[in-house]
Each structure stands twice: as structure tokens, then as C-alpha cells.
Amino acid sequence: MFNEVYDVIVVGAGHAGSEAAAAAANMGSKTLLVTMNLQNIAQMSCNPAMGGIAKGQIVREIDALGGYSGIVSDTSAIQFKMLNKSKGPAMWSPRVQSDRMRFAEDWRMLLEQTKNLDFYQEMVSGLLVEGDKVVGVKTSLGVEVRGKSVVLTNGTFLNGLIHIGDKNFGGGRAGEKAATGITEQLVDLGFDSGRMKTGTPPRVDGRSLDFSKMVEQPGDENPEKFSYLDVTKPLKDQRSCHMSYTSPLVHDLLREGFDRSPMFNGRIKSLGPRYCPSIEDKINRFADKDRHQLFVEPEGWNTVEYYINGFSTSLPEDVQFKALRSVAGFENVKFFRPGYAIEYDYFPPTQLKHTLETKLVSGLYFAGQINGTTGYEEAASQGLMAGINASLKVQENEPFILKRDEAYIGVLIDDLITKGTEEPYRMFTSRAEYRTLLRQDNADLRLTPKGFELGLASEKRLKRMEQKHESAKEFVSFFENTSVKPEEINPILESKKSSPVNQSGKLFKIFARPNIEMDDVRKVESVEAYIQEHNLDREVIEQTEIQVKYSGYIAKEKNNADKLSRLEYVKIPADFDYSKIKSMSFEAREKLKKIQPTTVSQASRISGVSPNDISVLLVYMGR
Ligand SMILES: Cc1cc2nc3c(=O)[nH]c(=O)nc-3n(C[C@H](O)[C@H](O)[C@H](O)COP(=O)(O)OP(=O)(O)OC[C@H]3O[C@@H](n4cnc5c(N)ncnc54)[C@H](O)[C@@H]3O)c2cc1C
């Protein structure tokens, strides 16, 4: 049936698989996307939203490199918010509420328009492996497809087990069957596997809710968008979310089901995401809190279905129902479906190289939840990187690796493969030591040239980025070179309670003051005239503001990154024998042998490897 040998076979069309397939195909590799159900491409298994803190930066990075997640997030958005706007720009994080059905549909349309990409609906039940090399996949119907590389993106489907109260049954997601066969074969091949769990809240009928008892949460007054490309314009209309709270009564009703909770009666043994706990976990762990926030999120433009963010649970459905009916606005709630938890297999990611290729089997890549991560954005970015690297390997090109000071994606992959993870890993801004450099506003500057070189980002995308940054640079030099007189600036400074000046001075210095913003300096005639004359758009104005106000921090962080990256160039040979270095601690030797870092810098980030071990290693390597 399949006569050809594919360059890249992607297994699973979730967020990771969809990006992997798009990247490989767009880089010219003959690609096949095999997935269990073609109706569920890029299905949002949990919340109908993309982005958020640190995750929004990742979506922008994917977009800057030429991936599709940013575009689809825009075309399917029903609300946009820039989170953390009151903090410094390193913390600003875009987030959209999504139309769940449109998100999946738009993804599928984009993939169908992608050249070099074939589709096949079936469950992959095993890999074809010859020696230490993957050569294809086989499906549960016995179809064999040959491929030069395979990217596994099985998400929560590997031996997935769904729990609701004291019931449990096999499944990869509500209404979809689990995938079997792959874990067992990989373990036979020598891989370590583990179990993790995650959960989701009930979905309810909006017609049964009383929104007048809740607090409205509208989108931004001036919404932005994710993609740097002008595929869509920012939203004109938006749908609001609403907020309500649990209460001591709700908590008591939930506690009534604790004896039937798989979380508490030992049936669920694996670890879930610590930062996204279930409601039963929250009332158990934070027993002194008498209420928890619930966000009532619409699932799309035209549907009456709502997602109850903050009420993730695997308690019995009757307990979920009774407790939710005691929440203000939910007195008459009707369920579309109850919440549930799912346990699934994952593979500790220390078994991977920076390219996401496995160390054990050549040509085999893992991306997404299979690597112990959680979240669409984390999955999509790994998919993109695995698709790129699978393609590069087949084309016999150098691998593509992003460093920690270049992208959140670089931090994510380096954390996974160097430190591993024992609980579902999600991205936070605090994981990035260079977060002032890795902002959502400059992802294009950081990554689009790389995306263009890879053949992923179009020339149009590159030109747009160059123009934006050139305009911002010129506007910054305008501030550096233009003076303002006391009589013009002092009334503005006084209105902001900033000390007045006695003599004319450069605008840059005044703009750099902590409480002076672009809106203030725009009151200076020459500034507004410059903006009008050069027809500057919001992106350029924002970029200029960040560069002026944070120039000191940015320069300092860049300097630190440059200093530390010197160790990044000290390569460790693949066959390096750590057992010879007796003066290194036993734990460090064992960890280094297992993880096989490629540089001294990576070795220094492995937990259990001390600065002293690194000094010994450097001495041993003649440095
Ligand atoms: C119940 C639940 C709750 C969740 N809660 C959260 C949360 O609170 N916060 C959060 O950030 N994330 C949550 N997630 C996780 C989020 O959905 C995932 O992180 C994200 O979807 C992972 O993307 P992925 O591409 O790795 O896998 P998935 O989106 O799971 O996609 C996997 C794809 O692979 C296909 N597939 C699997 N095995 C095979 C096979 N053998 N052959 C062919 N096709 C196959 C599947 O059909 C599916 O299309 C939750 C997921 C679930 C199911």
C-alpha cells in the first residue's frame, strides 16, 4: 500500500505532531502524518486557550521560526489578553481564549495546504527497527510504512487509563481509545518508561448558568495577536470569560466523595502537574483557604459549552455535579461531561539528545507529552524542533539547537534532556535565567533569521522583522539625539511626580526614568511628530519603549550570557570515559555517564554535578 520510503514519519497529530509534520514537510522532506483519528488534529484536550505566562513567549517563538501554532491561535481566538502588563516586559505574556473546534479545523486546513505532507488514519502499534536504526512503523492493522526517521508524539495515549471516581477504563482522552504496543517495544529496546497523570474539569451548558452572579472578565481593550505575520488582524469583537468562587459548602460537598477519589484511595499512583492541581487536591493541601477562583471560559464563538477552569477533578461524577451546583451562578448547571483524570506512559527525557533524537535508536525522535511535559505550547515547540532535526538529519545537514539564551524553547529542551523531570514539566519564566533577553516582543528578532535559514520562515517574514527592528533602532537613536527644553518637559514630569530638570537634556535620559512611559513622552511635540511622520505602528513603538527603558538590564544580561556561553564551546567527546576521573564524585561520574552532556556547560547544569566536579573535568580536559 505504501510503496515509497518517507523521509519523516510523524506518529500522532496532537500539538507536537502537527508542528513536527508541518516543519519537516516545509523543509522539503517527504512526510507522513499517521494519527488515530484525523477528525481530532491538534485537539485541545484540556483548556481552550493558548499562551499565558511563559507559554505565550513559546507560541511567539514557534511563530518566529515559521511554525503554525501562532497563526492558528490568531485565527481561532475569541479573546486576547496580554498578561502581566503591570510588570516589566520580560514578564508580558500573550494569551488567547480559543474556539476549540475552529482551532482544530484551522490546523487541519493549514496542514492540508502543506506540500510534501501525506496523511493516514490508524494506530501505530510498533516501530520497524534494524540494528540501532529506526526504518519505519507498523500499524495495528499490520500495515508497514518505511521511513528514514520517525517522530513519536503520542501525548497522553500510551496505555492511557481514565479515572472518574472508582471507575477506570482505558483511553487516551475522553471518547478516544488508548494506544498500545509502543511502550512495550521501546522498553524491550532498552528504554526506561514511567507513568504520569493529568486531569481536566467538567464542561457545562452555558444556558444553565446565571452569569449575573459572576464577575465578567473581558479581553484587552486594545487586543494584540500572536503571529508576526499579518494573516489576521487583532480581534474586533471578543467573548468574555466570567469568574466565580467555591465556598466552604462546596468544599464539604467535595469531601463527601474523597473515599471514592482515585487520588486519595491509592488507585492513581503517578504524579500530576503540581502547578495545576485538581480541586480536591487544592482543598486538601490548602485546607485553611475557604474559597478558590473558578474561571468560566467559553469554548468558542457559537457554542454554549463552557470550560470550568480551576475545577479539574476525578471525583465521582455525582459528587462533581452536586458540588458545582453550590457555586454562585451554577445552581441549575447542566453537565456536558464530567471531569476526569488520566494516567499515561512517558519516557524520561534524559534519554534524548538536544535534537530530541533518542540516544538508543538512531533516527527516532520523541516530542511533546511523551517526554514528560504538559501543555500545548511545550508540546508544539518540541514537535517543531523534532520535525526540523529529523528533516536536517535525513538531508545530512547539521542539527538545529537553540541555546538557553536564545529561546524559551532552548531552555525547555535543555532542562528536559539535562535534568529530566519526575512530574509533568511546564514552562515558567523563572526557568529562564536570561528572561530579559527572551521576551515575547523580540522572538522574531531572535529567531526569524534562523527560521529563514532553515527554509521555514518566509522571506516576507524576514523582511517584516528587519523593517520593524530597523524602525525601532532609528526611533531609539532619535531619543538619544534629540534634546528637550525644561519648559516643555517639566509640566509632564511634574504630572508624573518626577523631579523637574534645570536645563535642556536628551529625551533618552528622561524616557529612561522608571515612571515615565511612552504616552508621557508622546506629549513632547517632536516625539509625536516623529511618530506621525514615520507612520510608526504599535509594534515599533512598543519595541522602542522596551529598548530605551530596559537597555541597562538587557545589556547586563547579554554580557552574563556571553560570559557563561564560553563553556558552551568546550565540547566533550561522545566517547568520553568519566570512570577514569577518580577525583570526581561518584554521583557526578554516574550522572555524566548516563546523560552524556555534549558540552561542559551542559554538564554543569546536571543536578548532582558540583562546580568542583566541573573544575576537575576542565583540568582533565586540559583547560
Ligand atoms: C485529561 C487531560 C487533561 C489535561 N490537562 C492539562 C492541563 O491542565 N494543563 C496543561 O497544560 N495540559 C493539560 N493536558 C495536556 C495537554 O493536552 C497536552 O500537553 C498536549 O495536548 C500534548 O500534546 P501532544 O501533541 O504531546 O499530545 P496530544 O495532544 O495528546 O496528541 C497525541 C496525538 O497522538 C495520537 N496518537 C497517540 N498514539 C498514537 C498511535 N499509537 N498511533 C497513531 N496516533 C497516535 C492521538 O490520537 C493524538 O492525536 C491535559 C490532557 C488531558 C488528556
Side-chain angles (χ1 to χ4, degrees):
M1 181 168 162
F2 286 96
N3 298 325
E4 52 205 316
V5 177
Y6 283 93
D7 293 323
V8 181
I9 299 175
V10 178
V11 178
H15 305 267
S18 298
E19 283 290 2
N26 282 326
M27 285 172 67
S29 293
K30 180 104 195 88
T31 306
L32 175 70
L33 180 56
V34 193
T35 194
M36 284 164 77
N37 187 345
L38 281 170
Q39 306 303 320
N40 291 344
I41 284 183
Q43 185 65 234
M44 296 176 130
S45 316
C46 197
N47 55 329
M50 282 294 277
I53 294 167
K55 290 164 173 269
Q57 282 85 330
I58 295 181
V59 178
R60 286 245 151 135
E61 289 179 357
I62 295 172
D63 184 71
L65 282 166
Y68 290 170
S69 290
I71 294 171
V72 176
S73 298
D74 287 340
T75 59
S76 59
I78 62 172
Q79 184 194 88
F80 182 96
K81 268 190 176 187
M82 186 64 83
L83 306 180
N84 276 342
K85 204 65 205 245
S86 61
K87 299 187 180 157
M91 306 302 279
W92 298 356
S93 304
R95 179 188 191 270
V96 287
Q97 203 65 50
S98 309
D99 184 313
R100 187 190 297 278
M101 287 188 271
R102 194 171 287 182
F103 185 90
E105 187 185 348
D106 290 355
W107 247 114
R108 174 156 168 166
M109 289 303 115
L110 272 182
L111 287 175
E112 283 188 17
Q113 289 156 20
T114 301
K115 269 198 237 157
N116 304 319
L117 181 58
D118 290 347
F119 300 86
Y120 192 58
Q121 176 172 305
E122 244 257 68
M123 184 176 99
V124 168
S125 56
L127 300 166
L128 305 176
V129 179
E130 287 171 6
D132 66 351
K133 215 171 164 308
V134 72
V135 294
V137 298
K138 58 174 180 278
T139 73
S140 54
L141 285 179
V143 176
E144 294 199 347
V145 194
R146 309 285 291 183
K148 295 177 193 162
S149 64
V150 173
V151 184
L152 285 185
T153 68
N154 303 73
T156 52
F157 284 69
L158 294 176
N159 294 316
L161 185 66
I162 291 178
H163 297 266
I164 306 179
D166 37 21
K167 289 163 232 151
N168 63 38
F169 47 91
R173 196 159 50 193
E176 293 176 65
K177 66 179 182 184
T180 50
I182 291 180
T183 304
E184 296 71 14
Q185 185 187 6
L186 288 173
V187 169
D188 282 348
L189 285 167
F191 285 90
D192 288 334
S193 76
R195 292 286 271 174
M196 280 185 177
K197 82 126 218 202
T198 186
T200 197
R203 315 295 199 265
V204 307
D205 188 334
R207 293 169 301 182
S208 64
L209 301 179
D210 182 352
F211 291 105
S212 68
K213 293 186 178 163
M214 308 180 199
V215 185
E216 191 178 353
Q217 304 276 300
D220 281 355
E221 217 168 290
N222 296 306
E224 298 178 34
K225 59 191 185 67
F226 270 110
S227 179
Y228 292 101
L229 280 182
D230 294 320
V231 177
T232 53
K233 295 266 171 271
L235 289 169
K236 283 213 177 80
D237 298 317
Q238 301 188 67
R239 279 199 76 177
S240 287
C241 297
H242 287 80
M243 193 170 68
S244 193
Y245 291 94
T246 60
S247 63
L249 171 65
V250 177
H251 298 181
D252 285 343
L253 291 168
L254 288 167
R255 279 192 199 97
E256 280 178 20
F258 275 16
D259 57 337
R260 286 187 285 151
S261 159
M263 293 279 299
F264 301 135
N265 62 16
R267 212 168 280 138
I268 292 183
K269 294 183 188 68
S270 37
L271 268 182
R274 195 177 350 155
Y275 305 99
C276 200
S278 62
I279 187 71
E280 52 267 37
D281 217 12
K282 280 191 270 194
I283 59 176
N284 202 34
R285 267 170 40 196
F286 311 108
D288 53 323
K289 272 194 99 176
D290 58 10
R291 64 176 200 172
H292 293 282
Q293 274 179 342
L294 301 180
F295 292 96
V296 185
E297 302 180 345
E299 293 254 345
W301 287 115
N302 302 316
T303 174
V304 296
E305 191 171 349
Y306 277 77
Y307 174 91
I308 315 303
N309 197 339
F311 206 80
S312 169
T313 179
S314 56
L315 285 166
E317 64 280 11
D318 55 315
V319 176
Q320 298 183 21
F321 187 65
K322 210 165 132 196
L324 204 50
R325 280 213 157 189
S326 297
V327 172
F330 285 74
E331 295 79 359
N332 298 308
V333 71
K334 289 183 180 170
F335 267 24
F336 267 35
R337 59 163 150 124
Y340 65 94
I342 182 164
E343 286 185 288
Y344 53 91
D345 297 334
Y346 81 104
F347 291 86
T350 46
Q351 302 173 95
L352 303 174
K353 304 178 187 173
H354 268 109
T355 55
L356 298 180
E357 186 179 19
T358 65
K359 291 172 187 166
L360 266 179
V361 178
S362 168
L364 178 63
Y365 296 77
F366 291 170
Q369 194 113 357
I370 189 174
N371 287 336
T373 59
T374 173
Y376 312 135
E377 305 77 2
E378 288 84 348
S381 61
Q382 291 169 67
L384 176 74
M385 295 300 281
I388 291 173
N389 278 303
S391 205
L392 288 172
K393 180 158 182 168
V394 169
Q395 293 162 8
E396 295 180 7
N397 285 322
E398 286 296 303
F400 178 63
I401 292 161
L402 287 168
K403 295 208 297 285
R404 295 181 73 92
D405 60 347
E406 288 177 326
Y408 270 92
I409 302 175
V411 174
L412 171 82
I413 294 178
D414 186 62
D415 275 354
L416 289 176
I417 70 151
T418 306
K419 299 181 184 146
T421 183
E422 265 143 40
E423 61 179 291
Y425 177 105
R426 67 153 289 185
M427 184 47 79
F428 295 106
T429 45
S430 57
R431 296 201 194 265
E433 55 276 53
Y434 307 117
R435 56 187 168 274
T436 311
L437 303 180
L438 309 183
R439 305 183 313 269
Q440 53 84 32
D441 59 277
N442 69 354
D444 55 347
L445 178 65
R446 292 183 277 123
L447 301 174
T448 295
K450 295 179 192 292
F452 179 70
E453 237 174 81
L454 288 165
L456 272 182
S458 61
E459 192 165 355
K460 186 172 157 202
R461 198 183 263 284
L462 184 71
K463 288 262 150 15
R464 198 183 176 287
M465 181 282 288
E466 286 170 348
Q467 210 170 17
K468 171 178 141 188
H469 286 279
E470 198 47 44
S471 302
K473 216 162 96 189
E474 283 167 10
F475 197 20
V476 171
S477 33
F478 164 82
F479 281 103
E480 284 167 341
N481 299 321
T482 309
S483 296
V484 61
K485 290 188 175 135
E487 52 270 34
E488 194 178 9
I489 197 67
N490 280 344
I492 301 169
L493 293 176
E494 276 155 27
S495 73
K496 298 290 291 201
K497 299 198 171 32
S498 191
S499 44
V501 293
N502 310 323
Q503 55 192 44
S504 293
K506 296 290 185 243
L507 270 167
F508 188 97
K509 229 173 143 189
I510 285 170
F511 194 6
R513 290 187 182 188
N515 50 347
I516 302 298
E517 287 157 18
M518 181 62 92
D519 283 348
D520 303 315
V521 287
R522 281 184 80 158
K523 290 182 189 140
V524 175
E525 216 179 296
S526 59
V527 176
E528 190 55 31
Y530 185 99
I531 292 174
Q532 297 309 328
E533 192 190 324
H534 293 82
N535 201 12
L536 299 186
D537 64 17
R538 186 170 57 188
E539 266 186 76
V540 172
I541 295 172
E542 179 185 284
Q543 192 53 227
T544 306
E545 182 164 17
I546 292 169
Q547 285 186 27
V548 173
K549 299 199 70 64
Y550 296 90
S551 55
Y553 297 103
I554 295 170
K556 200 167 147 206
E557 213 161 85
K558 180 111 201 34
N559 192 22
N560 282 348
D562 289 346
K563 270 194 215 151
L564 284 172
S565 73
R566 280 181 219 143
L567 286 183
E568 211 58 71
Y569 295 104
V570 186
K571 300 262 183 263
I572 305 177
D575 52 357
F576 192 82
D577 184 3
Y578 294 98
S579 55
K580 284 196 296 202
I581 319 181
K582 298 289 180 222
S583 45
M584 186 182 264
S585 72
F586 177 75
E587 185 190 359
R589 268 183 280 153
E590 288 304 298
K591 286 269 175 69
L592 289 164
K593 254 193 269 175
K594 184 167 173 221
I595 293 173
Q596 296 167 32
T598 50
T599 64
V600 173
S601 176
Q602 192 196 351
S604 71
R605 293 189 291 271
I606 298 173
S607 67
V609 178
S610 68
N612 188 43
D613 296 320
I614 293 300
S615 306
V616 173
L617 179 63
L618 281 169
V619 169
Y620 197 85
M621 293 177 72
R623 304 267 175 159

